[in-house]
């Protein structure tokens, strides 16, 4: 008789976005004349850049020709893409990463889940609170979190790293030592970063206690200030304790096209076993790479024109981020993030809960945010806004908010 993986029954899951969706639907059905502006979505809206589109067309034509047709892609991805990644994302930042350490994939979300396959279920994980839900959910499914306690909003077996206004959203070392530490900077949902010197302390800590860091750098392209690491491998010793997840979703608009990569340095070992070798095996048996066509599109992101055009798109979103940040501050609100990230972490006024403030904004301004409490207990009394809308909608939403 078969059995299900009953870890799935511990998932809290889709509650946040489904409840947001239900509330917005109910409101617009009751008020069909109102125009609702969504500033809650975590998805890009600008179309793919012209150099990316022409690379896609070119690669499609190659697939139509016997001489240039391609079948299965190499396990770690095509060399043309991995060498462009190595040059622009690592060597240019002073990080010595070789192409055998880069594994091309269909995105950071699946890698952040699948990476757990190479780790024992005995490992204790540490996540920030608030957190991008994928890290937690995939560990719940793998049986690494223990049981959810609705009274605390936390899983019993997880080490939480609170990121709060008090600590400037910089996670502090926990009392209990974790084995696997998830870090994401610039952060989703808070939009905050930590200085390179703070990240170095986490690398030193991981090396000292023998932990591995899974570092999500999906928003690297949004960094505007100096003193922030673009990749964790800018930190000394990170090649011995860190895996980095990267994505083409937010810097180049590939959320629907799907492309990302994971870096596992060869020097990252556990009792003499190289994690790079383990991940290579996994790729052979459960290949989740990206199609040739998409890898050519990814290569085009690194061309001179591709870099210029995608940087313009990121800048477009950052203009929204600055507009929201300044607008909310002018209106007397407290807001974090939005300087090196497309996310803003808006403190609710008058001690309203995240959901009370969500309802208030929806009803009074017809603006939709994402309740911070959905990302963890420390997200309570915050609302996440995103900068992925159009300038017009962002401006209009701010006018309505200022009129509240
Ligand atoms: C959007 C996002 C990603 C990107 O995931 P893809 O699967 O590559 O689209 C990764 N990490 C975080 C924190 C994100 O918000």
């Amino acid at each position: 008789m078969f059995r299900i993986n009953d870890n799935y029954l511990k998932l809290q899951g889709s509650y946040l976005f489904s409840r947001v969706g239900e509330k917005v639907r109910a409101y617009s059905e009751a008020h069909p004349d109102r125009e609702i502006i969504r500033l809650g979505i975590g998805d890009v809206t600008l179309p793919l850049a012209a150099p990316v589109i022409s690379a896609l067309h070119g690669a499609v034509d190659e697939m139509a020709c016997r001489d240039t047709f391609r079948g299965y892609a190499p396990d770690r991805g095509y060399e043309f893409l991995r060498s462009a990644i190595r040059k622009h994302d690592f060597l240019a930042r002073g990080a010595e990463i070789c192409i055998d350490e880069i594994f091309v994939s269909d995105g950071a979300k699946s890698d952040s889940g699948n990476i757990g396959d190479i780790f024992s279920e005995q490992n204790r994980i540490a996540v920030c609170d608030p957190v991008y839900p994928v890290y937690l959910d995939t560990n719940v499914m793998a049986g690494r979190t223990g049981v959810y306690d609705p009274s605390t909003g936390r899983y019993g077996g997880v080490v939480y790293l609170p990121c709060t206004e008090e600590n400037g959203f910089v996670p502090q070392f926990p009392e209990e030592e974790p084995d696997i530490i998830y870090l994401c900077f610039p952060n989703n949902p808070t939009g905050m970063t930590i200085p390179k010197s703070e990240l170095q302390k986490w690398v030193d800590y991981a090396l000292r206690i023998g932990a591995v860091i899974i570092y999500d750098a999906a928003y690297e392209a949004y960094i505007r200030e100096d003193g922030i690491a673009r990749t964790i491998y800018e930190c000394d010793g990170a090649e011995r304790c860190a895996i980095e997840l990267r994505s083409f979703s937010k810097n180049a608009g590939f959320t629907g096209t799907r492309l990302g990569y994971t870096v596992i340095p060869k020097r990252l070992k556990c009792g003499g076993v190289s994690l790079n070798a383990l991940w290579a095996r996994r790729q052979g048996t459960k290949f989740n790479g990206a199609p040739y066509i998409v890898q050519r599109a990814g290569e085009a992101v690194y061309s001179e024109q591709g870099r210029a055009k995608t940087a313009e798109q990121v800048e477009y979103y950052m203009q929204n981020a600055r507009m929201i940040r300044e607008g909310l501050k002018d209106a007397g609100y407290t807001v974090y993030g939005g300087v090196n990230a497309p996310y803003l972490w808006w403190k609710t006024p008058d001690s309203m809960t995240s959901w009370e403030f969500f309802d208030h904004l929806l009803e009074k301004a017809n603006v939709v945010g994402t309740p911070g409490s959905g990302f963890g207990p420390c997200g309570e009394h915050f609302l996440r806004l995103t900068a992925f809308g159009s300038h017009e909608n962002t401006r209009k939403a701010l006018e309505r908010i200022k009129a509240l």
Side-chain angles (χ1 to χ4, degrees):
M1 197 182 96
F2 71 90
R3 291 167 196 265
I4 58 159
N5 175 353
D6 53 17
N7 291 317
Y8 275 61
L9 305 178
K10 300 176 197 157
L11 282 171
Q12 301 308 301
S14 60
Y15 170 75
L16 174 64
F17 291 99
S18 58
R19 187 158 168 211
V20 167
E22 276 162 30
K23 278 178 176 274
V24 174
R25 209 171 311 119
Y27 183 84
S28 56
E29 270 164 27
H31 307 87
D33 52 317
R34 304 283 170 83
E35 181 212 24
I36 292 171
I37 300 179
R38 288 179 174 76
L39 290 187
I41 40 158
D43 197 356
V44 294
T45 52
L46 294 172
L48 294 174
V52 173
I53 293 294
S54 52
L56 282 167
H57 283 298
V60 167
D61 288 342
E62 285 182 70
M63 295 303 258
C65 241
R66 194 170 213 159
D67 289 345
T68 49
F69 168 80
R70 312 274 182 140
Y72 290 117
D75 271 9
R76 293 174 199 228
Y78 285 100
E79 225 173 285
F80 60 76
L81 177 57
R82 288 187 294 148
S83 42
I85 289 171
R86 171 173 187 258
K87 179 171 166 209
H88 294 284
D89 290 346
F90 299 102
L91 296 189
R93 309 285 178 207
E96 284 291 336
I97 291 296
C98 61
I99 70 165
D100 285 352
E101 298 174 319
I102 297 165
F103 297 80
V104 173
S105 74
D106 64 348
K109 189 170 179 176
S110 36
D111 277 354
S112 69
N114 293 335
I115 196 72
D117 291 359
I118 63 172
F119 295 106
S120 154
E121 73 173 58
Q122 309 298 318
N123 287 300
R124 181 161 287 237
I125 67 151
V127 293
C128 290
D129 173 11
V131 68
Y132 177 57
V134 177
Y135 314 143
L136 209 46
D137 288 352
T138 53
N139 278 288
V140 172
M141 296 173 201
R144 251 180 237 116
T145 57
V147 178
Y148 185 75
D149 178 353
S151 71
T152 59
R154 292 182 159 184
Y155 288 92
V158 172
V159 177
Y160 288 91
L161 311 170
C163 293
T164 61
E165 211 174 2
E166 289 70 37
N167 64 26
F169 305 93
V170 178
Q172 308 295 299
F173 302 137
E175 275 167 32
E176 192 185 354
E177 286 183 0
D179 305 303
I180 301 176
I181 303 161
Y182 287 83
L183 294 177
C184 172
F185 294 106
N187 188 261
N188 176 10
T190 66
M192 296 294 275
T193 48
I194 62 174
K196 182 173 160 184
S197 53
E198 287 294 330
L199 187 60
Q200 180 67 55
K201 288 183 197 163
W202 276 96
V203 169
D204 296 341
Y205 172 77
L207 288 170
R208 190 164 70 242
I209 67 170
V212 63
I213 295 174
I214 298 179
Y215 190 71
D216 186 338
Y219 296 98
E220 171 272 336
Y222 290 83
I223 295 173
R224 289 290 177 277
E225 294 181 313
D226 293 334
I228 301 167
R230 299 294 191 118
T231 157
I232 197 167
Y233 303 113
E234 284 179 40
C235 295
D236 296 331
E239 71 286 350
R240 285 179 285 123
C241 68
I243 291 174
E244 185 162 295
L245 306 172
R246 298 285 283 255
S247 167
F248 289 70
S249 284
K250 311 303 180 359
N251 64 330
F254 278 53
T255 51
T257 308
R258 310 304 305 143
L259 189 64
Y261 66 89
T262 288
V263 179
I264 309 189
K266 289 183 176 157
R267 281 157 288 177
L268 175 50
K269 291 188 173 156
C270 176
V273 177
S274 148
L275 301 195
N276 181 291
L278 294 185
W279 190 241
R281 279 307 297 271
R282 183 212 144 272
Q283 290 283 358
T285 52
K286 202 166 102 187
F287 184 61
N288 73 327
Y292 172 71
I293 299 166
V294 175
Q295 295 195 43
R296 280 290 183 203
E299 181 191 28
V301 170
Y302 293 100
S303 67
E304 206 179 315
Q305 261 212 328
R307 278 181 292 147
K309 293 286 172 209
T310 53
E312 272 170 27
Q313 299 195 334
V314 169
E315 184 50 32
Y316 180 90
Y317 297 132
M318 284 310 289
Q319 283 166 5
N320 287 341
R322 285 189 289 267
M323 206 194 311
I324 300 172
R325 188 179 160 91
E326 249 103 82
L328 293 182
K329 285 195 166 174
D330 286 350
Y333 294 104
T334 303
V335 61
Y336 298 94
V339 176
N340 298 294
Y343 294 112
L344 291 108
W345 198 233
W346 184 4
K347 192 174 180 186
T348 66
D350 309 323
S351 306
M352 273 193 236
T353 66
S354 296
W355 280 108
E356 283 166 356
F357 191 47
F358 171 90
D359 288 336
H360 177 73
L361 263 193
L362 174 62
E363 285 157 24
K364 300 293 186 314
N366 302 153
V367 170
V368 182
T370 308
S373 55
F375 299 98
C378 291
E380 183 55 281
H381 301 297
F382 284 91
L383 194 85
R384 188 191 75 173
L385 296 185
T386 69
F388 292 125
S390 64
H391 287 340
E392 299 85 299
N393 272 354
T394 305
R395 198 170 296 125
K396 208 186 284 178
L398 278 168
E399 275 162 20
R400 294 186 193 166
I401 289 166
K402 284 181 182 171
L404 282 178

